[in-house]
Amino acid sequence: MDILRFPTLLSASLTFFLWNFVLFPIIFLFIKDPEKKRNFVGYMTNFRLTQLHVCNIFLAAYVTIYVGPRRRLHLGDAVAAASMVVLYVLF
């Protein structure tokens, strides 16, 4: 399953940066009610979402860098990543 290392890192990176630096601040700025803001921050910082959106990037980087044999990325990695993105968008 060496071909899945790059798509895993790519999807974890996109999730991390989009949620933490794009979507979370935008949604937070558009919420006007202080109670709803507090609930939103509480929801976004619960264990499950923190694990999904923050810890996942470190796990993916660790797996990509330290696990398995080191090799250069090649066209197959890009094709696998693009295929996973297309499948994610469609389904």
Side-chain angles (χ1 to χ4, degrees), residues 3 9 15 18 25 27-28 30 43 45 49 51 55-56 60 62-64 67 72 76 83 85 87:
I3 195 76
L9 182 61
T15 300
L18 285 176
I27 293 170
F28 186 78
F30 280 106
Y43 174 74
T45 56
L49 287 180
Q51 184 179 12
C55 299
N56 194 25
Y62 175 77
V63 167
T64 302
V67 175
R72 288 186 157 308
S83 300
V85 167
L87 287 173

Side-chain angles (χ1 to χ4, degrees), residues 17-60:
F17 286 108
L18 285 176
W19 270 106
N20 294 315
F21 299 112
V22 177
L23 293 176
F24 179 77
I26 289 172
I27 293 170
F28 186 78
L29 288 175
F30 280 106
I31 298 174
K32 302 296 182 201
D33 183 28
E35 181 65 28
K36 287 184 180 181
K37 274 190 178 190
R38 198 174 12 254
N39 290 341
F40 178 70
V41 169
Y43 174 74
M44 289 302 292
T45 56
N46 72 30
F47 176 75
R48 185 179 205 111
L49 287 180
T50 301
Q51 184 179 12
L52 178 66
H53 295 143
V54 177
C55 299
N56 194 25
I57 186 73
F58 297 112
L59 179 62

Side-chain angles (χ1 to χ4, degrees), residues 67-87:
V67 175
R70 291 184 180 219
R71 66 170 180 83
R72 288 186 157 308
L73 295 176
H74 55 80
L75 184 61
D77 295 314
V79 170
S83 300
M84 292 181 95
V85 167
V86 168
L87 287 173

